[in-house]
């Protein structure tokens, strides 16, 4: 130990990136851009949600994601603000696709940067749990029995409740 | 006027994604607006029946039955969200 | 609900990627390669550890990572096996750099793929906590006062203890 | 013979990263081998003193004081790990 002062603040403004888009995203490029310019970052936790070929026991040939333009970005920004109030994070990125998607396509990306890993992991999982229950997106799947709207999961509500 | 929006299953059942209506007489909150919509009969009375999993946002913030509704507001009705 | 059978097993063998290297890694490329060929994957959780410019109250100009060749790979493989015994994960990648590193350089990458996000997040955090306390790597930092070996953190021991 | 390895701070203090030694008479476990190394005096007796944060691996698996040591083994001494 020594008597140097505590860690300095981040030397650039923190970043909050929120985007809703039909195009795919490049995880590596998003991560590189998000953490650029801050040597205070020691931890980068991320999550990518991917379209599966099965759900609730049925084959899924693809899905279409609908959203509420305007409210979506607003809801995501509120969720990011709430994460910042709970953990000492530096940057947050939340990118969500809409429109038609097929199995193995990327759906959503959340990245959190922080000085330390515990806060990055917790904030990243929190952001996903809240996004799943509070951001206005709806999935419609194409199955052999036709199109069906995906039902909200009680497990997602339970996951979000953990953070109360 | 109110701007009403419908998403996902409700958009399909109501066969519209939006409509403009005059603020109905006596309607002051989400509960009142929902009751007024139910008076249209099916599919409104079914989809918006008490206990159905319907979410409401007023001016793009999540709302509940007691949230005030006033002239000029944007009110959206949709199922529980399933993104991510 | 319907009477279809439960979800099928992954249609390709699961992957466990373990590498110790001096070269940098490309997070996006590692992620793409790891999950390629499985439409059963719905969740990809990842963590990147990054070299900071400050640690324990001192400026850090850079660090050198030493390891125990042979044991390192063996220890990482055991940690990956333990994660598989605890959670229903599909693929695991653990890539750790050794040699000289500078602030903002990537140090370590952990990726976990799974059908569902809860297991991917938990396994990814577990892998990092166990790597931090059980894989034979040692950091030596260059500070204004000279070279110093980084002391193990009691907070890392506590993080690993959570999983017992 | 035993293959002894030293890493990080211990490698520096002992001024070697490896050495081959004959299995000392009477040494059957990690505790015995550590006691035998302490007989070399400083820096061994200091760095390997009871209570110091030293970890030991036998044949590349983490070991404790009671882990057996036999002819042909690889035994490594190092500080608590700090990677990641």
């Amino acid at each position: 130990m020594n008597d140097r002062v505590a860690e300095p603040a981040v030397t650039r403004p923190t970043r909050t990136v929120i985007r809703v888009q039909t195009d795919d995203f490049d995880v590596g490029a998003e991560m590189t851009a998000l953490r650029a310019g801050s040597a205070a970052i020691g931890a980068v936790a991320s999550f990518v949600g991917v379209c599966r070929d099965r759900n609730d026991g049925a084959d899924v040939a693809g899905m279409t994601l609908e959203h509420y333009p305007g409210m979506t970005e607003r809801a995501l920004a509120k969720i990011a603000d709430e994460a910042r109030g709970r953990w000492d994070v530096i940057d947050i990125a939340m990118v969500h696709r809409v429109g038609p998607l097929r199995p193995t396509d990327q759906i959503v990306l959340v990245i959190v940067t922080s000085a330390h890993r515990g806060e990055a992991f917790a904030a990243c999982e929190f952001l996903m749990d809240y996004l799943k229950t509070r951001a206005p997106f709806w999935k419609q799947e194409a199955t052999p029995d036709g199109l069906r709207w995906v039902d909200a999961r009680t497990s997602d509500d339970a996951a979000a409740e953990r953070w109360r | 006027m109110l701007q009403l929006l419908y998403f996902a299953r409700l958009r399909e059942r109501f066969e519209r994604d939006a409509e403009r209506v005059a603020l109905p007489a006596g309607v002051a909150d989400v509960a009142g607006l929902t009751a007024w919509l139910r008076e249209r009969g099916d599919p409104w009375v079914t989809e918006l029946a008490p206990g159905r999993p319907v979410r409401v946002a007023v001016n793009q913030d999540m709302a509940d039955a007691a949230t005030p509704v006033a002239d000029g507001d944007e009110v959206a009705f949709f199922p529980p969200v399933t993104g991510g």
Side-chain angles (χ1 to χ4, degrees), chain A, chain B:
Chain A
M1 298 302 296
N2 58 40
D3 58 4
R4 288 170 195 277
V5 296
E7 297 176 9
V10 183
T11 54
R12 61 157 170 77
T14 61
R15 296 186 176 122
T16 302
V17 174
I18 288 170
R19 295 204 315 273
V20 178
Q21 61 189 42
T22 53
D23 289 344
D24 196 11
F25 48 79
D26 178 329
V27 178
E30 298 287 346
M31 205 175 280
T32 300
L34 189 68
R35 73 181 187 85
S38 175
I41 295 170
V44 184
S46 80
F47 180 83
V48 179
V50 177
C51 181
R52 301 165 66 215
D53 63 359
R54 291 187 63 81
N55 190 29
D56 284 340
D59 291 324
V60 174
M63 62 168 62
T64 301
L65 263 149
E66 177 172 335
H67 79 302
Y68 179 174
M71 180 174 168
T72 313
E73 294 80 356
R74 188 181 168 90
L76 294 176
K78 286 173 71 171
I79 295 167
D81 283 347
E82 189 150 348
R84 288 188 183 283
R86 291 173 180 234
W87 293 282
D88 193 13
V89 306
I90 298 173
D91 307 302
I92 293 173
M94 305 177 84
V95 181
H96 204 298
R97 295 177 68 187
V98 292
L101 296 171
R102 299 172 57 82
T104 78
D105 281 354
Q106 301 183 124
I107 302 171
V108 60
L109 170 66
V110 172
I111 309 174
V112 176
T113 73
S114 179
H116 305 291
R117 76 183 184 287
E119 308 213 77
F121 271 120
C124 190
E125 190 162 12
F126 168 87
L127 289 166
M128 273 307 303
D129 286 346
Y130 268 41
L131 183 156
K132 282 258 180 189
T133 52
R134 302 190 177 192
F137 295 99
W138 301 274
K139 285 176 183 154
Q140 188 178 50
E141 293 175 337
T143 76
D145 296 331
L147 298 176
R148 67 174 184 189
W149 290 99
V150 174
D151 282 330
R153 292 177 184 275
T154 54
S155 62
D156 285 333
D157 289 333
E161 278 298 319
R162 287 182 303 158
W163 304 101
R164 285 191 171 272
Chain B
M1 300 295 285
L2 295 177
Q3 175 76 0
L4 304 186
L5 304 177
Y6 309 103
F7 292 95
R9 189 191 70 244
L10 295 184
R11 175 177 51 73
E12 291 185 345
R13 297 289 164 82
F14 298 156
E15 297 180 317
R16 72 197 71 183
D17 58 8
E19 63 181 313
R20 292 181 65 80
V21 300
L23 181 65
V27 166
D29 57 23
V30 167
L33 179 61
T34 306
W36 178 80
L37 287 168
R38 279 198 295 265
E39 290 170 11
R40 292 173 168 181
D42 269 327
W44 305 83
V45 68
T46 304
E47 292 294 338
L48 301 179
R52 291 279 289 174
V54 173
R55 301 287 180 270
V56 183
V58 175
N59 297 327
Q60 305 188 353
D61 278 322
M62 290 303 297
D64 58 30
T67 303
V69 170
D71 196 46
D73 283 350
E74 173 177 301
V75 184
F77 294 79
F78 45 79
V81 304
T82 56

